[in-house]
Amino acid sequence: MKIKVTNGTAILKFEVPAYSAKKYTLTAVFGNDSVRLEDNAIFTINKLNTKISKVNLTHNKNTLKIYAQVIDENNIKYNGILNVKILDKENGEIFYANDTVVIDNGEFSFNFTPKKALNHNLSLLIEENSYFTESYKNIEFNVEKAKLILNFE
């Protein structure tokens, strides 16, 4: 690749592909027939913050179906596979864990069967990966005679 040098400055603009969040070393080399110059620079790609939004639950007998949306800090809907857990908000006990939840256009759903107790204060957790930080959404629900009562924080 050849780049024009003007007043001692060469500029190359490029779009960074989907690299993982970490430090990278960028090396620039300039050369002609008699001179070769090389320099390195470090740039860092940080993990994006995520947000769980548009949570909706439906109830059918003993099973809850949880729908939610995952967006990053730039309001871009995520596509891919994430680890999802449902935890007891008070003691951290895991009620549900799935490391292959498919997120399509930012949306996902899964079925969850709560313990026999009818009142739950839970946290929906999207685990951290190489691109994103973890994200929580607190869910409180109470099932009374086939009636689902929800509260989201």
Side-chain angles (χ1 to χ4, degrees):
M1 170 182 322
K2 292 184 180 182
I3 300 171
K4 183 178 178 182
V5 177
T6 305
N7 295 328
T9 302
I11 298 174
L12 171 64
K13 293 183 181 180
F14 65 97
E15 188 172 316
V16 177
Y19 288 133
S20 298
K22 64 180 182 180
K23 288 184 180 181
Y24 292 90
T25 301
L26 180 64
T27 302
V29 178
F30 168 80
N32 61 24
D33 292 338
S34 61
V35 177
R36 182 179 190 281
L37 302 172
E38 182 176 319
D39 199 7
N40 296 317
I42 294 176
F43 72 98
T44 303
I45 297 177
N46 296 314
K47 291 183 181 187
L48 295 172
N49 294 318
T50 57
K51 180 172 77 171
I52 301 170
S53 63
K54 297 184 180 179
V55 178
N56 185 24
L57 280 78
T58 58
H59 179 256
N60 183 8
K61 295 185 181 178
N62 294 329
T63 303
L64 290 174
K65 186 161 191 167
I66 299 177
Y67 301 88
Q69 185 178 69
V70 179
I71 56 174
D72 68 23
E73 63 192 50
N74 300 313
N75 289 324
I76 296 174
K77 296 175 182 175
Y78 179 74
N79 286 300
I81 296 174
L82 290 176
N83 298 341
V84 176
K85 288 184 179 176
I86 296 181
L87 309 167
D88 184 299
K89 187 176 166 185
E90 304 301 320
N91 65 18
E93 179 184 354
I94 297 172
F95 290 137
Y96 174 89
N98 188 338
D99 61 359
T100 58
V101 173
V102 176
I103 317 292
D104 184 26
N105 198 28
E107 297 179 353
F108 69 96
S109 66
F110 59 89
N111 293 329
F112 164 63
T113 303
K115 293 188 171 188
K116 293 183 181 181
L118 298 177
N119 296 312
H120 290 283
N121 293 313
L122 304 175
S123 291
L124 176 61
L125 166 67
I126 302 293
E127 289 190 320
E128 179 175 326
N129 66 15
S130 58
Y131 302 103
F132 300 109
T133 60
E134 69 184 14
S135 184
Y136 284 90
K137 184 73 167 184
N138 292 324
I139 305 168
E140 295 179 17
F141 66 91
N142 179 13
V143 179
E144 295 178 353
K145 296 182 182 176
K147 179 180 170 185
L148 181 62
I149 301 166
L150 303 170
N151 180 30
F152 302 106
E153 289 181 19

